[in-house]
Amino acid sequence: MAEEKPPQLVDYFVVAGLTDSSKALEEESQQPRPARPSEPITDVAVVIRSQGEDVPQGFTCIENSTSGHPVDLNATLLNSPQMYLCYKRGRGKPPLIELGVHCEGKDRLKPGYEIIRTTPYSRPANLSSGAASHQRTFLTYRRAAESQGHNTLGITDICLVVPSKGENTPHTFCRVDRNLNAGMWGPAVFLCYKMAMSKANTLVYEAGLLSRYPEQDSESFPLPDSVPVFCLPMGATIESWPVNTKYQLPVFSTFVLTGASGDKVYGAAIQFHEAYPRERLSEKQSLRLGLLSVVDRRPIASKSVQTRRSICVLSHWPLFDVFRKFLMFIYRYSISGPHVLPLETHISHFMHNVPFPSPQRPRILVQMSPYDNLLLCQPVSSPLPLSGASFLTLLQNLGPENAVTLLLAVLTEQKLLIHSLRPDVLTSVSEALVSMIFPLCWQCPYIPLCPLTLADVLCAPVPFIVGIHSSYFDLHDPPRDVICVDLDTNTIFLSEERKLLSPRSLPRRPCKVLLAALHAHFQQLDEMYNKPVEEASLEFLLTDYDLVYGRRKQLELEIQASFLRFMACVLKGYRSFLLPITRAPCDTTHDSSSLFFLQGFLKSRDRAYQKFYGQLLRTQLFTQFIQECSFVSDRHACLEFFDTCVEKVQVDLEKAEDAPLMELDDSHGSEHTVFIMPPEEPLGPDGAELPALYCYDSFPVLRSELFERPQDQLAALLCQPKSSAPSSPAPRRTKQEMKMAQRVAQKYSSMPDMWARCLLGHCYGLWFIYLPTYVRAAPSKVRALQTAYEVLKQMESRKVVLPDEVCYRSLMQLCGQYGEPVLSVRVLLEMKRAGIVPNTVTYGYYNKAVLESKWPSGTQGGRLRWAKLRNVVLGTAQFRQPLRQRQLESEAHGSTLPVIKALGVLEPGSDSFVALPPGLRQLLDGPGSSEDGSLSDLSFQTDEGDRPAPDSAEVQLSLGPGAQGSKPGRRDENHNSLGGTPRRGLAAKLQQLLSPAKRPSLRHAASVEQPSPRWDAGSLRRASEQTEPPPRKSPVESLLHPHERPDSTASESSVSLGSEFDLSDTSLGSFSLRKSSDPLPEALAGPELPPVEIRLSSCSRCQACGSLVHDEEVMAGWTPDDSNLNTSCPFCARPFVPLLSIEIQDFQQPPSPSESPQSRGEQPPAARGPVLSDRSRCLALDEAEPQPGDPPSLCNGCADSSGPGGPAPRSELVTFAYLSPLVLRKELESLLENEGSEFLAQPELVDSHPIIYWNLVWYFRRLGLPSNLLQLVLASQHVRPTPQVQPLEAPPVCVRLLWDVLTPDPHSCPPLYVLWRIHRNSAARLQSWRHPSSPFSLAFLEAVLSHVGLGEMHKAIALFLQTLAVEPSPPPLQRSIYREILFLMLAALGRDHVNIATFDKKYKAAYAKVASSLGKEELTRRRAQPPSSKAIDCRRSFGATLEC
């Protein structure tokens, strides 16, 4: 899979302005509104008519209100002075930009304001002079700076409003919220003023494209044709200015373009003026601009001609501050000079050489010139969609109450018209309005900055959010059914035709919490931005930029989180009303009423808010939201994050929760900064600097030959497609699932029982990640999917802690891929039965699988009739089964006694039983014989089967406590049974009768011990000739006579060979898809060895103390960190990296042509070796005495491969890190992300990623999960290639999981279980052990077993410690005493006859008894402590299935 390239910062650079084909937007005949004022207001004054003051020359007096009512500023009493407001227009001084009312002693004068204390005739201008109060009130104003240009934003109109007369604030006017009538009598009078740009002699044309770079369109994103009109939304103008007018500063604006697929493209532009040649104007244009006299048409030289242009960048990233600095640098570069480098060089350098910030380079400092630089920071990592919203600007311009009002308007899909004189504010606020309703997405027309050419959208009959420049209302009236929002005056204008719901219709408590949070944030904003200039400047000079940046981002995030909490409370519990598709799709499947229970959701809300919820459910917002939640969409990560927020919030609280819903990512604070230097200036031939030749009178038309060509790797970035959501993310975890898994693992790491289940859940997650590869290679897809479904059910029965929903989601996706919708529905039902509510991703893939798959036919036909017939036959068989079972039980009871004698089990009244030592007799007595209790569960234990076997010859050897017999079934290449009919053998019935846990205890009659007669092989052989099956030596006889012969009981075979195939222990909760008593493959049924045998062991040696740490102890020492490879030693508590040891034995021998039986025309002999299910042959081979010249053999007659005459195996021992399931899962997901899921089926996996491969093999075999991984090793470097043609079915690979180490330490003493086998001359894996002098004799081993059998575990521990203490130089022991005794019991009695859980309880009680005398510190030093509870729980959860 190709490496994903970094995103591109800038897509296009555009120059827009007046072209030859531009059309006029204002005709002479079209005057929809009166002419705009040509001059702004520069002065205001107060005159007192009652004292004879006249209106000054050039001033205009306001005598009436907006509706024509007479108005007086001081109409409190009849004898009060009559005061009137006057204003003056002009351009001789900077215009006024703000008016106010100041009360002395009550208000503090704002910076930059001046007070009108006297009238033009030097009388006091106190507005409350006739009032009873002694508080003086004056008018105030603030004037624009002297440096402002010609078209300065200023006050263009003033009016007075009397609310008692039914008058409201006029549209686009700003109202001063202070009553001018300060007296107790008379109506209230308010001052209103309008801010605008006073333009005169202006021609407006539609903007066109002047130049662009690159000139060719990108395939993924062609340049839209409408970009020029968005760069100049109010048109490209030609204006006439006075000659002495100051130059106007550029104006920055932003806009958003939305594609057909919903992708957003952000534009940043600056508008500026430059000279326009007079000779290009027609006489008509010159007359309208006032450049010619009206009478004689003479040119007027006192005026200049200017035109407005714009430069713009387009990007998929809303980095508006960065783009503003870059555009301002380009503009200043164009008006200065001369320069050595052309303008095009700087543009191409910024587009090609400035990378987008990434986690590896979060900060990029771009040095554009010696005096200009800009800093790019990585955007805040947030699960919310990326947008150009600024919640700071929204709250600063609207306030808390108006922000909540607009939230209600957007949720109910009203027509919103947002206008301002600041074009850059329009985009920020509009983006915030559509972002505050997350997770809902605005579906109607959305134009944050609407050009004049697209203003017809205001008359559309659909809801919309449109932002427009306030100068639009100088030409047109607003529509009557539109809600107008003036950002400059913080005013919302509601029309009579379009009534909006009151904010009281919102849920009360969530709305109250939202308002309280917005008020607190608004106060912080006021403190941040309204500080004195000196203090603010000092702060920005002395404070680090990161601190200010982080504080603003944190406040931005908190405001956004407040709206997010409100939406989570509004939609609380919505997922429980989603309706999954459970039947074949039809025409109405996609309807919201079919996907969501609308009435149920509405009834679950409070009745007081039914009107609001009723309107919300009918909107396109909610309909689209339900469809996105029901089907797969690119917003699944955002919706999943919202679901986590819904779970966190509580609707009934009066304040917000303590846990934040959103957190600030501090990646921008990284110290890693990349510096981008400016383009290098070329040098002359002799190394001298070239002359500066590039100087521009106006912004030039870009020349393609002057641009720098991009490098090879960067040129591809211009045409790369934008990254989208992965096409198949089902087996992958989302970011929210990863965070949740980390929190769950952190929580359960301190809970022993839950930690084991957590590890087990991640192991199952690994298998379900591998499941698509397994199903793809399976011959029967349906059977493979059914196997996965059975695994799901077993997981639920074992109460596995699943950290995510990958298991269910992966199976659902495969059901849809292979056309099994019914199984997908069953998976959903199992998921709900387990109490798991599917998240957005899982729910979407479920509906996709159900919707796109082909459903079975509705008419069953013959299938239904065959099913009925099958039910009848099965019912009849059920009725006959009790009668037949009773008959078989009576027959089996009559033959029980001889079978017991044949098996070698002593009867209670026999002489041999009385002669046994008391410790060994206790093994057959049962529980309750001693005070501490004995290991009563060390005998046969098995579960009942389904039906008995009619013949004793069909007795099968049970390989596990929960194993059942089964007929031979079809197997895959890894010996995994794919089907079979379970049966119950007679051996199961006998073991049930003989088990002390399931029958009354056997009591012997004699109380006097007698000498025990020796049993020779002849007597046993004679007994075997009389009864069938042949007799078997009991575990008791094995303990008494270890020197008789190198026999191997059935229990030992289960410990040795049996573990190769069945490594599950159902009594401890593990699960295996293949029964242990299934017949072995043909390749293993005889003396022929498997082609490859692999032995794995996770037992690791601590480097600090030299102790061996076994599997469950390694699991208990892992940490919840998915990047930590260490575990902790249970003896010294130091961390170390555990290792997974693998021994690979290759038995494959290329056949020689001369020795091949086929070449001689002979047929190869059939395999005559026994299988474990053939009890007679196994026990007969056990009875056979080895002849002096025979090669050594393993138990049950299997030949030892290492002996003479056998093929010499190629053995290789490798070790790799043993990874925690959490770490392994993270590495596996990274591998699939880079290589693809098909890589798991390629042989290169073994050699290129051995750690991942062998850990997967270990875990899958540990849990008995089917896979095709083992066949990959045949094509790896570990196995020699065979020149012969491979058969259709690859040979099986034998795997054995070992509990202890593979290669023993030559300097350490062999463990007790190895000494036991050495004394018994057992050949099972003893050739690698040396035999140094050991303090542990056979008598010691028998004494330990006798103490354990008597329930005197403390004596066994004390004997072990005492034996080591008397040694002058005790050998180094790597295993704990607990481990030595446990392994000895398993080797002596067999795994099937040792209940490890009972052994743990006995050992723990004995340890406490010994610790009372010796002390726990001494026992810990001598490694006598039992394993921790976390280790025991890990062994119980995974199953004590490993082989000694």
Side-chain angles (χ1 to χ4, degrees):
M1 182 178 295
E3 182 179 359
E4 186 177 358
K5 299 177 181 178
Q8 186 176 350
L9 184 63
V10 177
D11 294 291
Y12 293 99
F13 183 89
V14 175
V15 182
L18 184 65
T19 62
D20 296 336
S21 59
S22 297
K23 299 179 181 179
L25 298 181
E26 293 184 4
E27 301 293 341
E28 291 186 20
S29 58
Q30 293 182 354
Q31 293 292 337
R33 296 287 300 274
R36 290 171 292 181
S38 58
E39 295 177 341
I41 296 176
T42 56
D43 290 290
V44 290
V46 177
V47 294
I48 306 176
R49 289 282 186 90
S50 61
Q51 295 184 7
E53 294 184 0
D54 296 330
V55 178
Q57 185 178 2
F59 280 75
T60 302
C61 181
I62 303 177
E63 299 179 353
N64 299 318
S65 64
T66 55
S67 58
H69 297 280
V71 65
D72 184 0
L73 300 182
N74 196 5
T76 56
L77 297 175
L78 295 177
N79 57 353
S80 298
Q82 298 179 358
M83 307 180 72
Y84 293 90
L85 181 64
C86 304
Y87 63 88
K88 180 183 179 180
R89 300 181 182 275
R91 293 189 178 273
K93 58 177 70 174
L96 303 182
I97 57 176
E98 198 165 355
L99 296 175
V101 178
H102 175 70
C103 296
E104 284 190 350
K106 185 178 180 181
D107 301 333
R108 186 179 66 177
L109 187 65
K110 297 180 180 180
Y113 278 75
E114 296 182 14
I115 301 177
I116 305 176
R117 296 186 178 274
T118 60
T119 66
Y121 299 94
S122 301
R123 291 186 176 89
N126 181 16
L127 300 181
S128 60
S129 58
S133 62
H134 301 284
Q135 190 176 25
R136 300 196 302 171
T137 304
F138 300 96
L139 287 178
T140 60
Y141 65 88
R142 186 164 66 94
R143 193 180 300 276
E146 291 286 343
S147 59
Q148 297 294 328
H150 176 67
N151 292 337
T152 304
L153 185 66
I155 298 177
T156 58
D157 203 355
I158 299 176
C159 67
L160 297 176
V161 174
V162 182
S164 60
K165 303 295 184 180
E167 297 175 352
N168 296 320
T169 304
H171 189 229
T172 70
F173 274 70
C174 182
R175 170 176 163 175
V176 180
D177 290 331
R178 182 65 64 86
N179 185 9
L180 299 180
N181 187 0
M184 299 178 61
W185 307 97
V189 180
F190 292 92
L191 175 65
C192 301
Y193 60 90
K194 179 180 180 180
M195 296 282 294
M197 287 186 180
S198 55
K199 297 182 179 180
N201 303 324
T202 301
L203 300 178
V204 183
Y205 295 88
E206 182 180 355
L209 180 65
L210 296 178
S211 56
R212 51 172 285 186
Y213 180 77
E215 296 181 353
Q216 292 79 21
D217 286 343
S218 171
E219 295 181 0
S220 58
F221 171 51
L223 181 67
D225 298 334
S226 59
V227 169
V229 297
F230 283 94
C231 297
L232 294 169
M234 301 309 295
T237 59
I238 303 177
E239 307 172 11
S240 61
W241 295 357
V243 176
N244 57 353
T245 301
K246 295 182 180 179
Y247 201 80
Q248 187 177 1
L249 294 178
V251 177
F252 179 69
S253 64
T254 57
F255 57 90
V256 180
L257 302 178
T258 306
S261 60
D263 296 336
K264 290 184 178 181
V265 178
Y266 300 93
I270 59 171
Q271 306 171 21
F272 55 90
H273 290 82
E274 59 185 21
Y276 189 82
R278 284 197 176 193
E279 55 271 13
R280 299 183 59 182
L281 297 174
S282 63
E283 182 179 354
K284 183 179 180 181
Q285 291 175 326
S286 299
L287 286 174
R288 295 190 60 188
L289 291 174
L291 301 177
L292 298 177
S293 60
V294 180
V295 179
D296 51 3
R297 307 294 174 92
R298 290 185 303 174
I300 300 177
S302 60
K303 292 187 177 182
S304 63
V305 183
Q306 303 287 330
T307 185
R308 184 164 55 183
R309 282 190 177 183
S310 175
I311 55 176
C312 165
V313 291
L314 291 181
S315 173
H316 284 78
W317 309 98
L319 305 177
F320 294 139
D321 293 337
V322 174
F323 298 149
R324 179 179 59 84
K325 293 181 180 180
F326 169 69
L327 293 174
M328 290 299 296
F329 165 75
I330 295 296
Y331 169 71
R332 288 194 302 267
Y333 195 88
S334 66
I335 62 177
S336 60
H339 306 285
V340 177
L341 293 176
L343 187 68
E344 291 83 352
T345 301
H346 289 275
I347 296 175
S348 57
H349 175 74
F350 183 81
M351 295 183 64
H352 300 325
N353 299 332
V354 178
F356 185 81
S358 63
Q360 292 75 23
R361 44 171 188 268
R363 296 159 56 100
I364 299 177
L365 181 61
V366 183
Q367 193 73 31
M368 296 178 291
S369 73
Y371 310 100
D372 300 277
N373 55 47
L374 56 87
L375 181 66
L376 280 82
C377 295
Q378 185 183 6
V380 177
S381 179
S382 172
L384 300 182
L386 184 65
S387 68
S390 174
F391 288 89
L392 295 177
T393 306
L394 171 74
L395 192 59
Q396 195 174 13
N397 288 273
L398 290 175
E401 286 77 10
N402 285 342
V404 173
T405 302
L406 289 185
L407 173 63
L408 177 60
V410 177
L411 287 176
T412 55
E413 288 187 347
Q414 306 294 325
K415 296 182 178 181
L416 289 181
L417 177 59
I418 307 168
H419 59 89
S420 174
L421 296 169
R422 299 162 293 171
D424 57 329
V425 175
L426 288 174
T427 302
S428 301
V429 174
S430 300
E431 285 281 279
L433 287 179
V434 297
S435 298
M436 68 168 60
I437 62 173
F438 176 84
L440 306 182
C441 186
W442 185 260
Q443 300 295 317
C444 302
Y446 171 67
I447 309 177
L449 182 59
C450 182
L452 282 177
T453 55
L454 301 178
D456 294 339
V457 73
L458 300 179
C459 301
V462 296
F464 56 76
I465 297 179
V466 173
I468 201 166
H469 198 275
S470 294
S471 59
Y472 167 82
F473 300 103
D474 297 335
L475 305 174
H476 306 279
D477 288 324
R480 301 180 61 87
D481 59 345
V482 173
I483 300 176
C484 297
V485 182
D486 191 350
L487 299 180
D488 300 324
T489 63
N490 190 14
T491 309
I492 298 179
F493 298 92
L494 299 175
S495 62
E496 296 294 334
E497 299 180 0
R498 194 83 172 185
K499 288 295 182 180
L500 183 64
L501 288 177
S502 171
R504 294 183 178 180
S505 60
L506 295 172
R508 185 183 66 85
R509 289 182 179 176
C511 185
K512 181 180 179 181
V513 175
L514 175 62
L515 278 174
L518 293 182
H519 277 289
H521 299 325
F522 187 71
Q523 185 177 358
Q524 297 179 23
L525 274 176
D526 187 62
E527 295 174 358
M528 182 183 301
Y529 289 98
N530 292 337
K531 290 182 179 180
V533 178
E534 296 80 11
E535 183 181 353
S537 300
L538 183 64
E539 178 186 4
F540 275 86
L541 288 175
L542 302 180
T543 307
D544 188 24
Y545 169 78
D546 287 343
L547 179 62
V548 180
Y549 176 83
R551 188 173 62 177
R552 290 184 56 190
K553 286 298 180 183
Q554 182 65 37
L555 188 58
E556 177 89 11
L557 218 61
E558 290 176 358
I559 299 174
Q560 190 174 11
S562 300
F563 288 103
L564 177 61
R565 183 193 181 277
F566 174 80
M567 292 301 301
C569 293
V570 168
L571 299 176
K572 179 79 172 178
Y574 79 96
R575 295 205 66 86
S576 59
F577 296 94
L578 290 173
L579 301 177
I581 304 174
T582 57
R583 59 185 62 185
C586 57
D587 297 337
T588 60
T589 301
H590 287 82
D591 295 346
S592 59
S593 58
S594 301
L595 301 174
F596 190 78
F597 188 23
L598 296 173
Q599 293 300 321
F601 179 77
L602 192 61
K603 292 179 180 179
S604 65
R605 309 293 115 169
D606 196 336
R607 183 172 299 179
Y609 317 121
Q610 293 285 323
K611 191 172 183 180
F612 161 70
Y613 278 104
Q615 291 193 20
L616 176 64
L617 297 184
R618 290 193 297 268
T619 60
Q620 300 181 49
L621 293 170
F622 194 79
T623 301
Q624 180 66 21
F625 171 68
I626 294 303
Q627 291 183 355
E628 290 177 346
C629 292
S630 301
F631 302 101
V632 181
S633 67
D634 295 339
R635 299 178 68 233
H636 64 84
C638 303
L639 298 178
E640 184 188 8
F641 166 73
F642 178 74
D643 291 341
T644 60
C645 296
V646 170
E647 296 175 359
K648 293 179 182 179
V649 299
Q650 299 181 18
V651 182
D652 298 333
L653 294 182
E654 295 288 345
K655 62 177 182 180
E657 295 78 11
D658 296 333
L661 297 181
M662 302 178 61
E663 297 178 358
L664 181 64
D665 184 11
D666 56 353
S667 60
H668 63 273
S670 173
E671 298 296 333
H672 189 192
T673 303
V674 178
F675 292 91
I676 304 296
M677 302 304 295
E680 297 181 0
E681 296 182 356
L683 299 177
D686 54 352
E689 296 183 357
L690 295 179
L693 302 177
Y694 296 97
C695 185
Y696 309 98
D697 297 332
S698 61
F699 199 89
V701 176
L702 302 180
R703 297 164 56 186
S704 59
E705 64 271 10
L706 298 180
F707 286 103
E708 287 185 349
R709 296 305 170 191
Q711 301 177 4
D712 295 340
Q713 65 272 19
L714 295 177
L717 296 177
L718 294 176
C719 301
Q720 68 171 355
K722 297 299 173 184
S723 60
S724 59
S727 58
S728 178
R732 308 173 186 175
R733 291 184 295 176
T734 62
K735 291 184 178 180
Q736 294 302 317
E737 288 179 328
M738 293 181 182
K739 294 180 180 179
M740 181 62 67
Q742 280 293 98
R743 289 195 292 265
V744 170
Q746 190 71 32
K747 175 183 176 182
Y748 289 156
S749 60
S750 58
M751 305 168 62
D753 55 337
M754 301 306 296
W755 174 246
R757 296 181 185 180
C758 180
L759 294 179
L760 195 61
H762 281 279
C763 291
Y764 279 107
L766 290 170
W767 187 76
F768 276 95
I769 293 177
Y770 172 77
L771 181 60
T773 305
Y774 174 72
V775 175
R776 194 182 306 116
S780 175
K781 315 298 181 184
V782 178
R783 184 169 297 176
L785 294 177
Q786 187 66 31
T787 302
Y789 176 70
E790 295 296 332
V791 173
L792 277 182
K793 295 174 64 176
Q794 290 292 336
M795 288 167 48
E796 296 166 7
S797 63
R798 300 178 63 180
K799 300 181 180 179
V800 175
V801 175
L802 292 179
D804 47 60
E805 301 175 10
V806 170
C807 300
Y808 297 97
R809 188 161 64 240
S810 178
L811 184 53
M812 287 177 179
Q813 187 193 24
L814 292 175
C815 290
Q817 182 177 353
Y818 295 105
E820 291 293 328
V822 178
L823 183 59
S824 183
V825 176
R826 294 171 61 189
V827 173
L828 179 66
L829 296 178
E830 289 292 335
M831 192 175 185
K832 292 185 175 181
R833 188 178 296 111
I836 302 176
V837 179
N839 60 20
T840 303
V841 186
T842 306
Y843 192 78
Y845 273 92
Y846 162 76
N847 280 332
K848 180 181 180 181
V850 173
L851 190 65
E852 297 180 358
S853 301
K854 183 179 180 181
W855 282 73
S857 176
T859 57
Q860 299 294 331
R863 179 184 300 179
L864 181 60
R865 289 191 289 270
W866 277 110
K868 291 181 179 181
L869 179 59
R870 174 180 175 273
N871 293 337
V872 172
V873 174
L874 290 179
T876 305
Q878 291 293 332
F879 278 109
R880 296 182 57 187
Q881 184 175 1
L883 298 176
R884 184 180 181 187
Q885 184 174 2
R886 185 181 306 171
Q887 179 183 1
L888 293 176
E889 287 179 355
S890 61
E891 296 177 1
H893 181 70
S895 58
T896 299
L897 185 58
V899 173
I900 292 178
K901 293 180 180 180
L903 291 176
V905 179
L906 302 179
E907 297 185 34
S910 63
D911 297 338
S912 301
F913 185 84
V914 177
L916 289 178
L920 301 182
R921 273 204 318 269
Q922 193 69 22
L923 294 174
L924 295 179
D925 275 344
S929 61
S930 65
E931 184 177 355
D932 294 336
S934 63
L935 294 179
S936 59
D937 294 334
L938 296 183
S939 62
F940 302 97
Q941 294 181 1
T942 184
D943 297 336
E944 291 186 5
D946 291 337
R947 64 182 62 175
D951 193 358
S952 60
E954 298 181 8
V955 174
Q956 298 181 354
L957 180 63
S958 176
L959 297 181
Q964 296 176 353
S966 64
K967 293 182 180 180
R970 195 174 65 84
R971 297 174 175 272
D972 61 3
E973 61 272 18
N974 296 321
H975 317 302
N976 298 314
S977 176
L978 299 178
T981 304
R983 297 187 59 187
R984 181 175 64 175
L986 183 59
K989 294 287 293 180
L990 296 177
Q991 292 181 7
Q992 179 185 356
L993 294 174
L994 295 176
S995 176
K998 300 181 181 180
R999 65 168 182 85
S1001 302
L1002 295 175
R1003 300 294 181 180
H1004 55 84
S1007 60
V1008 180
E1009 297 184 2
Q1010 298 179 2
S1012 175
R1014 278 200 176 273
W1015 302 336
D1016 55 358
S1019 61
L1020 290 177
R1021 191 173 297 108
R1022 286 190 298 270
S1024 64
E1025 294 173 359
Q1026 298 174 1
T1027 58
E1028 286 293 337
R1032 169 193 170 187
K1033 294 185 67 175
S1034 67
V1036 180
E1037 184 182 356
S1038 301
L1039 297 180
L1040 286 176
H1041 307 284
H1043 301 285
E1044 291 286 337
R1045 55 182 174 83
D1047 56 354
S1048 177
T1049 62
S1051 62
E1052 288 180 355
S1053 64
S1054 66
V1055 177
S1056 57
L1057 278 180
S1059 300
E1060 301 176 14
F1061 310 106
D1062 180 22
L1063 303 177
S1064 62
D1065 191 349
T1066 54
S1067 65
L1068 296 178
S1070 63
F1071 167 66
S1072 176
L1073 295 178
R1074 171 190 30 76
K1075 298 302 180 180
S1076 58
S1077 55
D1078 287 344
L1080 300 182
E1082 293 296 334
L1084 301 180
E1088 298 182 5
L1089 293 172
V1092 178
E1093 183 181 30
I1094 301 175
R1095 297 173 180 175
L1096 295 93
S1097 174
S1098 62
C1099 183
S1100 304
R1101 182 175 179 269
C1102 176
Q1103 300 299 326
C1105 63
S1107 302
L1108 290 180
V1109 183
H1110 293 81
D1111 188 63
E1112 61 270 24
E1113 297 167 335
V1114 172
M1115 292 183 179
W1118 275 325
T1119 64
D1121 185 7
D1122 59 1
S1123 300
N1124 190 356
L1125 275 65
N1126 291 327
T1127 186
S1128 60
C1129 176
F1131 304 101
C1132 64
R1134 295 184 181 179
F1136 72 98
V1137 178
L1139 299 178
L1140 187 64
S1141 303
I1142 304 101
E1143 183 182 2
I1144 306 171
Q1145 291 187 349
D1146 185 8
F1147 297 98
Q1148 296 184 113
Q1149 292 288 343
S1152 175
S1154 60
E1155 299 178 0
S1156 176
Q1158 286 80 358
S1159 62
R1160 300 191 301 265
E1162 301 177 1
Q1163 295 295 331
R1168 299 185 178 274
V1171 295
L1172 294 184
S1173 59
D1174 192 347
R1175 185 185 186 90
S1176 303
R1177 297 170 64 185
C1178 288
L1179 296 179
L1181 284 172
D1182 286 342
E1183 294 292 336
E1185 294 288 346
Q1187 300 300 325
D1190 293 344
S1193 62
L1194 292 177
C1195 56
N1196 285 345
C1198 293
D1200 188 359
S1201 60
S1202 60
R1210 174 188 176 185
S1211 180
E1212 181 182 5
L1213 182 65
V1214 292
T1215 56
F1216 300 102
Y1218 183 29
L1219 302 183
S1220 162
L1222 284 76
V1223 180
L1224 179 59
R1225 185 166 189 180
K1226 181 180 179 181
E1227 296 299 324
L1228 180 61
E1229 290 172 343
S1230 177
L1231 174 65
L1232 296 181
E1233 189 73 22
N1234 297 328
E1235 303 291 345
S1237 60
E1238 295 80 5
F1239 188 73
L1240 295 180
Q1242 299 177 3
E1244 291 81 5
L1245 176 66
V1246 185
D1247 300 329
S1248 59
H1249 301 278
I1251 299 179
I1252 296 179
Y1253 172 78
W1254 289 114
N1255 276 272
L1256 288 178
V1257 170
W1258 169 266
Y1259 284 118
F1260 291 172
R1261 298 296 295 181
R1262 190 81 162 82
L1263 300 176
L1265 299 174
S1267 71
N1268 301 321
L1269 292 176
L1270 291 176
Q1271 293 305 318
L1272 301 182
V1273 76
L1274 297 176
S1276 67
Q1277 61 183 359
H1278 304 292
V1279 178
R1280 50 188 154 194
T1282 55
Q1284 61 188 12
V1285 181
Q1286 294 293 335
L1288 295 179
E1289 293 186 0
V1293 178
C1294 176
V1295 177
R1296 301 172 64 178
L1297 305 186
L1298 305 182
W1299 209 340
D1300 207 11
V1301 291
L1302 292 177
T1303 56
D1305 187 0
H1307 303 289
S1308 64
C1309 177
L1312 299 186
Y1313 78 95
V1314 173
L1315 294 176
W1316 174 266
R1317 290 176 176 172
I1318 290 176
H1319 289 303
R1320 297 213 25 171
N1321 297 329
S1322 176
R1325 298 178 52 242
L1326 299 181
Q1327 62 274 11
S1328 59
W1329 289 91
R1330 297 177 59 186
H1331 309 303
S1333 59
S1334 173
F1336 308 116
S1337 62
L1338 177 61
F1340 169 81
L1341 300 179
E1342 293 178 348
V1344 170
L1345 291 174
S1346 179
H1347 287 313
V1348 174
L1350 289 172
E1352 299 172 344
M1353 183 75 70
H1354 60 283
K1355 292 184 179 181
I1357 299 175
L1359 178 62
F1360 196 101
L1361 295 175
Q1362 182 181 2
T1363 305
L1364 291 178
V1366 297
E1367 288 290 325
S1369 57
L1373 297 179
Q1374 297 179 322
R1375 296 159 189 82
S1376 64
I1377 298 179
Y1378 165 85
R1379 196 70 57 178
E1380 293 279 8
I1381 299 177
L1382 174 62
F1383 286 177
L1384 177 61
M1385 295 294 298
L1386 292 176
L1389 299 181
R1391 187 185 57 188
D1392 296 345
H1393 310 296
V1394 178
N1395 191 317
I1396 300 182
T1398 304
F1399 179 86
D1400 291 338
K1401 295 179 182 179
K1402 303 298 181 182
Y1403 190 90
K1404 187 175 181 181
Y1407 172 78
K1409 191 172 184 178
V1410 177
S1412 61
S1413 60
L1414 297 180
K1416 292 186 177 181
E1417 292 78 7
E1418 179 65 18
L1419 291 181
T1420 303
R1421 186 184 67 83
R1422 302 176 73 172
R1423 301 177 185 173
Q1425 72 272 22
S1428 63
S1429 58
K1430 183 183 289 188
I1432 293 177
D1433 285 319
C1434 290
R1435 184 173 60 197
R1436 182 184 300 113
S1437 297
F1438 281 81
T1441 61
L1442 302 182
E1443 171 190 348
C1444 294

